[in-house]
């Protein structure tokens, strides 16, 4: 549900904070969503991202999460400044300044750089989720729009509006990525919730049309079996099909366990190389894994992403 | 926190004005949200403005959506209105404590504190939502989407830490002297309930106002015996603010 949001900051405009008086020069719009707009701005400290909100309470609630995260993780800066700005319409709008994340969506990255990057990006993304899970948080609104990929498959999460302390109700989610929507579990924040969304994100990257078609069906028949059938039919997902089924079924305890399994899957090739000079009785086994190990080849050949 | 969620696709046409009924609800501490379902076309200008006015009188939100957006909208409105209810209670307290009622006017650091309290109360306070479903003839093909939205709402409410209950009514009622029919009494669980609307009457009338009055009465009866309304959130707030 997009709310009409009249505020528009033009390129070159200078925003001055009401409380702290810092000045920011607007470069361009980075993106917008249901809760506000994000601009690339220039400040004394260099390039930053400015998120201006529609609703002061909603934005503050997101800021509170960022502040809580920052307290736990001194290595990373999530938030530079919080202030209000005066719009052209004479109204005040709350905003905050965060680190500018350079990058493109996963789908754009794969289109440009090739599908063989997918396994690594997936692994990096699981790593990001694992960091949150370790600190007792669930990302919540994991979807293509909220992940940015930079050079060499480096991954960053953006939009912390859905981040929820474990045990509470997920604060923001998107239906098609939501475990509840697929009749596969609750909307309470647990690490498995993110892994479910991660699996949906993988399906969305490979089979967006078929996935959207499934959402049209009756809610009673919406189920993970439907999703599993879709996964089974998708060649691009074959190497991780088993992993995805486990994630949809909530079988990984958290993202670090999921990442471990994902990594094992991707490195089976090494295992095979090592076991190349194995006794004959193992050859059968090796042949079986050779099929599984074609992963990278699969991805190289697939361009359907 | 008490809410009525009205789901309709057109104009009321019998009895008391639903706007007046919604104002009654508000004075009883019940917020009224309204969803207008558009199917192949729209609810008409009259319907659209009525929907907006009911919500305004009832201190809630209104949205016009198609069936596909229904679940997400219902879930979202309920959440937003709950936060708003808490926010109003908090603002009232702030006025007493700080002589300043507006959260937006606070400097960011103070705002952060207040919003933390609002979020905490929003997650833990008891929440009741009475769904009032227009089941007049034109709504019939949409009832399945409505049922889905109700199940979806229950799922979101179950994820809250606080106690959450829903009740479901439809109108008109085929029973003489009744303006709406209770389909489901207060519950926090829809397990095993595959169909909420088993048999609905076919009647041309849409007594939205009278039906809403009956739901207000249902709330009142439920409260009978409890000492006073509204004090739950007020009391909790003082613990935080002082
Ligand atoms: N720190 C950042 N650096 C670069 N781009 C960003 C940053 N934060 C957000 N963006 C871009 O802006 C878009 C919208 O931001 P964000 O998701 O935070 O808004 P939102 O209103 O919360 O959206 P949603 O509707 O998903 O809740 C993002 O999808 C992303 O492309
Ligand atoms: Mg977003």
């Amino acid at each position: 549900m997009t709310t009409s949001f009249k505020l528009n900051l033009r390129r070159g405009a200078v925003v001055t904070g009401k409380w702290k008086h810092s000045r920011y020069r607007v470069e361009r719009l980075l993106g917008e969503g249901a809760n506000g707009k994000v601009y690339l701005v220039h400040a004394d400290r260099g390039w930053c991202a400015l998120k201006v909100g529609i609703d002061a309470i909603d934005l503050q609630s997101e800021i509170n999460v960022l502040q809580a995260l920052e307290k736990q993780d001194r290595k990373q800066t999530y938030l530079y400044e919080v202030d209000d700005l005066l719009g052209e319409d004479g109204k005040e709008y709350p905003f905050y300044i965060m680190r500018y994340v350079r990058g493109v969506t996963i789908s754009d990255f794969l289109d440009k750089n090739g599908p063989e990057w997918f396994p690594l990006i997936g692994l990096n993304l699981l790593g990001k989720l694992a960091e949150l899970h370790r600190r007792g948080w669930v990302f919540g609104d994991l979807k293509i729009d909220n992940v940015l990929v930079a050079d060499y498959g480096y991954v960053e999460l953006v939009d912390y509006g859905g981040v929820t302390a474990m045990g509470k109700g997920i604060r923001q989610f998107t239906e098609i990525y939501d475990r509840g929507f697929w009749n596969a579990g609750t909307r309470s924040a647990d690490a498995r919730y993110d892994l479910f969304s991660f699996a949906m994100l993988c399906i969305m990257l490979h089979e967006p049309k078929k996935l959207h078609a499934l959402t049209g069906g009756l809610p009673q028949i919406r189920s993970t079996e439907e999703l599993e059938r879709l996964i089974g039919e998708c060649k691009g997902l074959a190497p991780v099909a088993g992993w995805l089924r486990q994630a949809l079924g909530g079988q990984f305890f958290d993202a670090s366990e999921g990442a471990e399994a994902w990594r094992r899957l991707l490195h089976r090739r090494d295992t095979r190389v090592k076991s190349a000079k194995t006794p004959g009785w193992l050859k059968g086994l090796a042949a079986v894994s050779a099929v599984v190990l074609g992963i990278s080849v699969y991805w190289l050949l697939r361009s359907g992403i | 926190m008490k809410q009525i969620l009205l789901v309709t696709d057109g104009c009321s046409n019998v009895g008391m004005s639903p706007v007046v009924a919604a104002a009654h609800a508000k004075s009883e501490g019940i917020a009224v949200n309204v969803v207008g379902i558009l199917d192949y076309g729209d609810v008409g200008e009259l319907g659209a403005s009525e929907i907006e006015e009911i919500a305004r009188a009832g201190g809630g939100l209104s949205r016009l959506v198609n069936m596909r957006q229904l679940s997400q909208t219902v879930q979202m409105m309920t959440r937003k209105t709950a936060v708003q209810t808490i926010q109003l209670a908090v603002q009232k307290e702030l006025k007493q404590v700080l002589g300043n009622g507006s959260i937006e006017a606070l400097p960011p650091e103070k705002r952060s504190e207040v919003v933390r309290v609002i979020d905490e109360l929003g997650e833990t306070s008891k929440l009741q939502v009475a769904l009032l479903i227009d089941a007049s003839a034109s709504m019939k093909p949409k009832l399945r989407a409505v049922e889905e939205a109700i199940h979806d709402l229950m799922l979101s409410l179950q994820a809250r830490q606080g106690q959450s209950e829903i009740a479901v009514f439809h109108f008109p009622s085929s029973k003489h002297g009744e303006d709406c029919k209770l389909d489901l009494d207060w519950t926090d669980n829809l397990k095993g309930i595959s169909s909420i609307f088993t048999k609905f009457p076919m009647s041309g009338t849409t007594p939205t106002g009278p039906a809403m009055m009956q739901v207000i009465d249902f709330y009142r009866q439920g409260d009978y015996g409890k000492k006073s309304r509204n004090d739950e959130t007020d009391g909790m707030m003082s613990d935080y603010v002082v």
Side-chain angles (χ1 to χ4, degrees), chain B residues 25-176:
Chain B
K26 192 181 174 190
S27 73
E28 296 278 334
I30 306 165
V32 181
N33 285 328
V34 191
V35 186
I37 307 190
L38 309 155
D39 40 336
Y40 322 93
D42 65 331
V43 293
E45 213 161 287
L46 215 62
S49 67
E50 186 181 273
I51 282 165
E52 202 183 315
E53 228 182 301
I54 297 171
R56 203 174 303 138
L61 302 165
S62 68
R63 290 283 188 281
L64 294 175
V65 297
N66 56 43
M67 281 186 266
R68 280 189 72 95
Q69 300 165 292
L70 189 63
S71 296
Q72 184 112 10
T73 305
V74 162
Q75 174 270 123
M76 214 273 260
M77 279 175 123
T78 303
R79 210 183 96 89
K80 268 204 163 10
T81 300
V83 170
Q84 207 171 303
T85 304
I86 302 276
Q87 194 179 322
L88 288 175
V90 169
Q91 257 159 359
K92 213 170 80 193
E93 298 255 338
L94 280 180
K95 222 170 215 147
Q96 289 170 2
V97 180
L98 304 171
N100 181 346
S102 162
I103 296 167
E104 286 85 354
L106 294 171
E109 295 74 31
K110 287 255 168 55
R111 207 183 292 164
S112 164
E113 283 303 307
V114 174
V115 171
R116 208 187 319 282
V117 174
I118 292 177
D119 274 348
E120 185 61 26
L121 288 177
E123 174 78 16
T124 54
S125 303
K126 179 175 176 184
L127 172 61
Q128 289 181 298
V129 184
L131 293 118
L132 180 57
I133 313 300
D134 173 351
S136 56
S138 61
M139 275 291 289
K140 222 181 159 182
K142 299 160 202 160
L143 283 179
R144 204 207 298 276
V146 172
E147 285 214 18
E148 180 187 356
I150 294 173
H151 278 274
D152 189 85
L153 176 65
M154 191 79 259
L155 197 67
S156 280
L157 294 183
Q158 281 170 338
R160 297 176 73 242
Q161 289 181 316
Q163 193 190 338
S164 316
E165 290 176 342
I166 66 164
V168 182
F169 297 83
H170 75 251
F171 66 100
S173 169
S174 49
K175 204 167 135 199
H176 186 71

Side-chain angles (χ1 to χ4, degrees), chain A residues 1-2 29-40 48-52 54 59 62 78 96 98-105 141 143-148 157-162 172 174:
Chain A
M1 200 183 323
T2 24
L29 184 71
L30 288 169
E32 61 187 300
N35 307 295
K37 292 183 174 175
V38 180
Y39 291 93
L40 173 64
C48 305
L50 178 154
K51 181 165 182 172
V52 53
I54 298 163
L59 194 77
E62 185 171 322
Y78 291 88
Y96 68 83
M98 61 185 142
R99 196 160 47 89
Y100 166 50
V101 178
R102 230 173 276 264
V104 297
T105 63
D141 200 6
K143 56 176 170 180
I144 292 185
D145 309 308
N146 288 345
V147 181
L148 292 178
L157 292 164
V158 291
D159 188 0
Y160 283 70
Q172 255 177 50
T174 302

